[in-house]
Amino acid sequence: MTRENRWAALAVLLTAVFMDMVDNQIVTIALPTIQRELDASSSALQWTATGYTLAFALTLITGGRLGDRFGHRAVFVLGTAGFGLASLAAGLSGNIAMLLVARVAQGVFAGLMVPQVLSFIHAEFSGPAQGRAMGFYGMTFPLGGLAGPLLGGVLTQADLFGWHWRTIFFVNVPIAAAAAVGALLVMPRRGAGRGGADVVGVLVLASALLAVLYPLVQGRELGWPTWTFLLMAASVPLLGLFVAWERRATAPLIRLDMFRNRAVSVGLPVMLIFYCGMGGFFVLTLYLQDGLGYSPLRTALTMLPATVGIVAGNGLGMPLVPKLGRLVPMAGVVLLVAGALAMVAVAGTDVSPWQLVVPILLFGAGLGLGSSSLMMITLGGVGAADTGAVSGVVNTVVQLGTAAGPATVGTAFFNTLGDGGYVAATRTALTVGVVLLGVALLACFLLPRTARASAADRPHRSLTPNSS
């Protein structure tokens, strides 16, 4: 593959990743509008956000392995085309049930296309070029995550063709089609013939996660019956069953020996808690629109400083990690906590966008600094030969944290809303987010002191039997 073609192929792949991240967040701004038009309950709103990310998370590792087995280009094209069709179905939804099904389908197909990106980077780039490609890849996530709310606000308020919130899904259709055609033209046909799918592992892991997330989202509306607590407790033996199965599976979903490295065994849980704390954006959207009466566009513009913070944080974090190691994600978490506490202090019944500039900027800077550095440190603990499966594990943890955020922080918000109103609910939910981030900060002390420390004990063999 020529140098020009590989960069063109990377551009196509990153377009799809950007589209996925935009779609992951674009619905956040439109949630109050969707709730009014489709007469959705508060738990349905949480599932609109959580259903996508949960389906995405559960498909990522399998998607990586399928790419190793049937070819990264074939699986990427399938995922991209399916994502476009699912987006079309979401835009055509006539009720909240149809929308939730379409959102889950979007998550499944996104889980097929996204893991192929890291696989492609490891297979086609090396040396400094691979570092640049990884830099572009790492920046795509936070930029897409913040472009989503802005685009959601613009499209929802513009009401193009009378489609209103449906436009946020229809816009994916031509982009997905262009990405699928582009991949067929410039992506190489390599990576086929290896790996397999651990269907049992996927089902057991999905059961364990749903045992936690379902009662968290639905428990408040149901009055927290006893079975909700029993179901959450059942997640522990289910996770134990998952570990036992992975130890004996011939093609395990996750090879457990990768956790012998400290950068991986600590980095993944820290990433999970870190992204769970991001549920603050879910709460902030509801507070600004339903509590303060902001329009979708004004809400999106209010959140725009986070994009500046993310770009700055990401740009600083990438080169600093080799020198400062765990201090970089710790600084990111501190900035996030500072931003959240500033939002708690500012929250009131009459807040202007200017009062939120600094808190949201700090929040974005912490997100950019923490997300890029945590990913680099964690990936630094595994062999570079690993492609689909390792990519899937890291991205799965990120998505699980993103899915758990609205479930945990959102539950605290809605539990307080009835008695205390939007201001009290927002402050309570953001405080819960701060507690989660505090746990992540303490866990960062368990990371290797420097990136070199994690590289020193890096395994020299592939952690999976299928590498490109």
Side-chain angles (χ1 to χ4, degrees):
M1 188 177 191
T2 66
R3 290 189 175 185
E4 293 76 12
N5 282 350
R6 68 178 182 175
W7 287 107
L10 180 62
V12 171
L13 290 164
L14 293 183
T15 298
V17 173
F18 184 81
M19 175 181 65
D20 158 65
M21 287 306 299
V22 166
D23 198 80
N24 195 351
Q25 300 297 325
I26 197 172
V27 73
T28 304
I29 295 293
L31 283 177
T33 305
I34 292 173
Q35 183 179 33
R36 289 191 295 269
E37 291 197 7
L38 298 184
D39 192 26
S41 64
S42 58
S43 63
L45 284 188
Q46 290 173 274
W47 279 116
T48 302
T50 301
Y52 176 94
T53 49
L54 182 59
F56 185 22
L58 293 175
T59 314
L60 274 166
I61 300 176
T62 301
R65 289 198 176 279
L66 291 176
D68 290 334
R69 176 71 181 272
F70 298 105
H72 302 304
R73 186 179 77 166
V75 176
F76 178 82
V77 171
L78 172 63
T80 307
F83 188 88
L85 292 175
S87 298
L88 179 62
L92 295 173
S93 297
N95 54 60
I96 192 65
M98 291 176 60
L99 178 59
L100 291 178
V101 171
R103 288 286 287 166
V104 170
Q106 280 184 305
V108 169
F109 285 111
L112 294 180
M113 67 181 182
V114 170
Q116 316 314 322
V117 182
L118 268 184
S119 302
F120 176 83
I121 290 174
H122 280 297
E124 302 296 336
F125 295 89
S126 60
Q130 187 178 93
R132 288 195 298 272
M134 281 294 297
F136 289 130
Y137 174 75
M139 188 172 290
T140 302
F141 281 89
L143 282 179
L146 264 294
L150 178 60
L151 188 59
V154 172
L155 293 177
T156 301
Q157 187 146 330
D159 194 17
L160 298 175
F161 310 109
W163 291 340
H164 211 31
W165 60 267
R166 301 176 189 276
T167 314
I168 67 176
F169 298 113
F170 290 149
V171 73
N172 291 329
V173 178
I175 299 175
V181 173
L184 287 172
L185 293 175
V186 297
M187 252 185 109
R189 298 185 62 181
R190 283 198 282 273
R194 297 177 294 275
D198 180 11
V199 177
V200 174
V202 170
L203 294 176
V204 175
L205 181 60
S207 300
L209 295 173
L210 283 173
V212 175
L213 293 176
Y214 183 79
L216 277 177
V217 174
Q218 298 290 147
R220 184 190 61 84
E221 287 193 354
L222 298 175
W224 296 107
T226 304
W227 66 263
T228 57
F229 297 100
L230 294 176
L231 190 58
M232 283 190 281
S235 65
V236 176
L238 282 171
L239 285 174
L241 179 61
F242 173 75
V243 171
W245 172 261
E246 294 302 287
R247 290 185 185 279
R248 57 184 295 240
T250 55
L253 188 66
I254 300 174
R255 285 185 64 92
L256 301 178
D257 57 357
M258 69 182 293
F259 292 98
R260 294 174 183 170
N261 185 282
R262 187 152 59 102
V264 178
S265 61
V266 177
L268 289 176
V270 172
M271 289 173 70
L272 178 67
I273 303 170
F274 178 86
Y275 279 94
C276 187
M278 298 302 97
F281 281 119
F282 173 83
V283 167
L284 190 59
T285 298
L286 297 176
Y287 164 64
L288 292 177
Q289 291 192 56
D290 291 340
L292 299 181
Y294 280 26
S295 67
L297 180 57
R298 191 183 187 192
T299 300
L301 292 174
T302 300
M303 291 187 175
L304 191 57
T307 305
V308 178
I310 283 176
V311 174
N314 198 323
L316 287 172
M318 299 291 277
L320 286 178
V321 170
K323 301 175 183 177
L324 301 179
R326 70 187 184 192
L327 292 178
V328 181
M330 291 173 74
V333 175
V334 169
L335 287 175
L336 278 168
V337 170
L341 290 177
M343 290 182 203
V344 171
V346 170
T349 56
D350 184 18
V351 180
S352 72
W354 293 108
Q355 292 175 279
L356 291 168
V357 168
V358 173
I360 292 177
L361 181 65
L362 289 172
F363 209 77
L367 176 58
L369 194 63
S371 61
S372 60
S373 57
L374 280 172
M375 186 171 290
M376 285 187 67
I377 290 173
T378 304
L379 288 175
V382 298
D386 294 295
T387 55
V390 174
S391 166
V393 171
V394 172
N395 284 302
T396 294
V397 169
V398 171
Q399 294 306 319
L400 287 177
T402 305
T408 53
V409 178
T411 296
F413 177 86
F414 288 117
N415 275 339
T416 311
L417 184 60
D419 297 326
Y422 280 96
V423 174
T426 301
R427 287 174 175 169
T428 299
L430 290 175
T431 302
V432 171
V434 167
V435 172
L436 290 172
L437 292 170
V439 174
L441 180 61
L442 292 175
C444 283
F445 282 100
L446 300 176
L447 288 169
R449 288 182 178 272
T450 65
R452 295 186 186 91
S454 65
D457 60 344
R458 182 181 304 165
H460 297 286
R461 63 180 177 81
S462 172
L463 295 172
T464 65
N466 31 320
S467 57
S468 294

